[in-house]
Amino acid sequence: MYELLLKYINEHATKPLTDNEVELVKSALLPKKLRKKQYLLQEGDVCKYFAFIVKGAMRQYSVDDKGIDHIVYLSIENWWVGDRESFVMLTPSVYNIDAWEDSELLLITRADLLNLLSQVPAIAEMARLMDERNFIAMQRRLNASISFSAEKRYGDFANSYPDFMQRFPQHIIASYLGITKETLSRVRKQISK
Amino acid sequence: MYELLLKYINEHATKPLTDNEVELVKSALLPKKLRKKQYLLQEGDVCKYFAFIVKGAMRQYSVDDKGIDHIVYLSIENWWVGDRESFVMLTPSVYNIDAWEDSELLLITRADLLNLLSQVPAIAEMARLMDERNFIAMQRRLNASISFSAEKRYGDFANSYPDFMQRFPQHIIASYLGITKETLSRVRKQISK
DNA sequence: TATAACTGTTGACATTTATCAACAGTTTTT
DNA sequence: AAAAACTGTTGATAAATGTCAACAGTTATA
């Protein structure tokens, strides 16, 4: 259960974890299985856990007045998922996070994470690296959202995340891109000509 | 020149800076004045400095094939500005950053920043806090961009950043929101009814 | 296996937003 | 003081995207 996470940490740090650190990591992370459609977090709740995805696929979304989902993040194996705003600020989340596929997660609380960050340098290093990458990905997406047409946004997405194209249906990807499923269908038709 | 930054650091850290740390900070940050329209960074260059704004207003934007600006960030006194992707990865930036008003900046290189982060705990603390806030602001903006109409995005912006409404003209704010100046003008007319 | 749910496409039409051009008032520059 | 640049508005029209409904093929479920 922990192999993938330990591998992930070692690949993102300059020095491998010691045996003792491996134990610290294992004891801080709680295994949890979710069936498709089960929630990791529901709107209005405080996000008590961040999760590393060992297996499966998750989505994070808000729901508007009309009851329409707006997907802010998609994530699969080897990604972390959680609502950072709620997790850090302890405020009720505006997002839902649920399993799109049956998934295996490793959960960590804020307290345990802070503890790990201070005790295990490799974890702090990994977290910094993740933060950088995350920031860069968000900035690109933000720039795309104000600068590019639906067609270009879709093309960029398909290039950047080929795995996601296999794992999520079009209406999910459309929502992530901020367009309707019908518009995405037409954009694809246009491109294929 | 350094007072505002030192105040900013102390307000964002649990312990005030020691005299020695104040000297470290001062020696790492290079004062620089920019006249309106002068560049801090131009597309294609690597972002060598991050800047703390002591006075003035800056904008960061990409330019598309048609020559149209798309503003990704606006910033004023007490904010940091720079292209983090380029600054960290040392890649050519896709953004321009220029002064919207005559400005006074304090510049720091990547090497000096890393040095400060490791030597001055208050700086590391401040950086973490800034990162969190930044992340939260970006996530909200991202969610808004895929979920809300131009009208709601404008309303949220006006509420969140009243200062910016005073400092930047409408066509700049329109660009930041991902709409044209004409659409913003019409949205405002609509709201005022 | 029958039924329901999910996924993707298409057509007709509505709404939102962009584009282009013109104009007026203001501010900046010469 | 005159000219130029900037800012904001408006009208006419075009383009992009959304909405609603229908349909077919697939997949999941009772």
Side-chain angles (χ1 to χ4, degrees), chain B residues 13-30:
Chain B
T14 38
K15 289 182 188 173
L17 294 170
T18 65
D19 290 354
N20 184 44
E21 288 174 332
V22 167
E23 288 315 308
L24 282 175
V25 168
K26 283 187 178 178
S27 67
L29 283 136
L30 176 72

Side-chain angles (χ1 to χ4, degrees), chain A residues 73 84-85 132 140, chain B residues 73 84-85 132 139-140:
Chain A
Y73 298 112
R84 189 160 163 179
E85 173 164 359
E132 289 300 359
R140 288 187 179 181
Chain B
Y73 298 111
R84 190 160 164 180
E85 173 165 359
E132 288 299 359
Q139 179 157 292
R140 287 187 179 181

Side-chain angles (χ1 to χ4, degrees), chain A:
Chain A
M1 187 71 181
Y2 291 95
E3 292 84 53
L4 192 64
L5 173 59
L6 296 172
K7 186 167 159 242
Y8 181 88
I9 296 168
N10 282 331
E11 281 174 356
H12 290 81
T14 37
K15 289 183 188 173
L17 294 170
T18 64
D19 289 355
N20 184 43
E21 287 174 332
V22 167
E23 288 313 308
L24 282 175
V25 168
K26 283 188 179 179
S27 67
L29 283 136
L30 176 71
K32 168 118 183 169
K33 292 193 182 193
L34 283 188
R35 282 298 186 64
K36 181 167 183 169
K37 297 197 181 174
Q38 280 190 303
Y39 289 103
L40 172 64
L41 171 69
Q42 286 189 71
E43 184 179 343
D45 292 346
V46 171
C47 182
K48 296 181 71 167
Y49 304 101
F50 238 75
F52 180 79
I53 306 177
V54 174
K55 181 170 173 300
M58 311 282 295
R59 54 183 193 150
Q60 176 171 345
Y61 57 98
S62 59
V63 182
D64 69 20
D65 338 316
K66 296 178 191 157
I68 297 173
D69 295 353
H70 298 281
I71 297 181
V72 291
Y73 298 112
L74 295 172
S75 36
I76 59 175
E77 299 83 22
N78 256 310
W79 291 55
W80 289 87
V81 64
D83 175 13
R84 189 160 163 179
E85 173 164 359
S86 171
F87 188 70
V88 171
M89 302 298 195
L90 303 177
T91 49
S93 180
V94 301
Y95 300 106
N96 299 278
I97 301 177
D98 67 14
W100 184 254
E101 302 172 1
D102 293 351
S103 298
E104 294 177 26
L105 309 177
L106 291 170
L107 308 183
I108 188 166
T109 63
R110 178 79 177 149
D112 286 340
L113 175 59
L114 289 173
N115 197 39
L116 268 194
L117 285 169
S118 65
Q119 290 195 273
V120 183
I123 292 278
E125 208 179 330
M126 178 204 75
R128 244 197 320 278
L129 202 60
M130 274 177 40
D131 277 0
E132 289 300 359
R133 290 187 185 179
N134 218 291
F135 178 90
I136 289 167
M138 283 179 83
Q139 179 158 293
R140 288 187 179 181
R141 200 169 155 207
L142 209 45
N143 186 45
S145 82
I146 62 168
S147 308
F148 302 150
S149 66
E151 186 169 327
K152 178 137 175 46
R153 294 207 303 282
Y154 175 71
D156 286 358
F157 178 84
N159 280 332
S160 302
Y161 305 104
D163 295 352
F164 287 17
M165 302 289 285
Q166 313 304 320
R167 302 286 280 275
F168 298 100
Q170 284 182 37
H171 68 273
I172 295 291
I173 292 170
S175 174
Y176 178 92
L177 294 173
I179 59 180
T180 62
K181 62 191 198 307
E182 292 92 341
T183 294
L184 180 55
S185 177
R186 287 171 181 125
V187 160
R188 282 164 49 86
K189 191 177 172 186
Q190 193 59 32
I191 289 172
S192 68
K193 279 184 186 166

Side-chain angles (χ1 to χ4, degrees), chain B residues 30-185:
Chain B
L30 176 72
K32 167 118 182 169
K33 293 194 182 192
L34 283 187
R35 283 296 187 65
K36 180 167 182 169
K37 297 199 181 174
Q38 280 190 303
Y39 289 103
L40 173 63
L41 172 69
Q42 287 190 69
E43 184 180 342
D45 292 347
V46 171
C47 182
K48 295 181 70 168
Y49 304 101
F50 238 76
F52 180 79
I53 306 176
V54 174
K55 180 169 174 300
M58 310 282 295
R59 54 182 192 150
Q60 176 171 344
Y61 56 98
S62 58
V63 182
D64 69 19
D65 338 315
K66 295 178 191 157
I68 297 172
D69 294 354
H70 298 281
I71 296 180
V72 291
Y73 298 111
L74 295 172
S75 36
I76 59 175
E77 299 83 21
N78 256 310
W79 291 55
W80 289 87
V81 64
D83 175 13
R84 190 160 164 180
E85 173 165 359
S86 171
F87 187 70
V88 171
M89 302 299 196
L90 304 177
T91 49
S93 180
V94 302
Y95 301 105
N96 299 277
I97 300 177
D98 66 14
W100 184 253
E101 301 172 2
D102 293 350
S103 298
E104 294 177 26
L105 308 177
L106 291 170
L107 307 184
I108 187 165
T109 63
R110 178 79 176 150
D112 286 341
L113 176 59
L114 289 174
N115 196 41
L116 267 194
L117 285 170
S118 65
Q119 291 194 273
V120 184
I123 293 278
E125 206 179 333
M126 178 204 76
R128 243 196 322 278
L129 202 59
M130 273 176 41
D131 276 1
E132 288 299 359
R133 289 186 184 179
N134 219 289
F135 177 91
I136 289 167
M138 283 179 85
Q139 179 157 292
R140 287 187 179 181
R141 200 169 154 206
L142 209 45
N143 186 44
S145 81
I146 62 168
S147 309
F148 302 150
S149 66
E151 186 168 327
K152 178 135 175 50
R153 294 206 304 282
Y154 174 71
D156 286 357
F157 178 84
N159 280 333
S160 302
Y161 306 105
D163 294 353
F164 287 18
M165 302 289 285
Q166 312 304 321
R167 301 286 279 276
F168 298 100
Q170 284 181 37
H171 68 273
I172 295 290
I173 291 170
S175 175
Y176 178 92
L177 295 172
I179 59 180
T180 61
K181 61 192 197 307
E182 293 92 342
T183 295
L184 181 54
S185 177

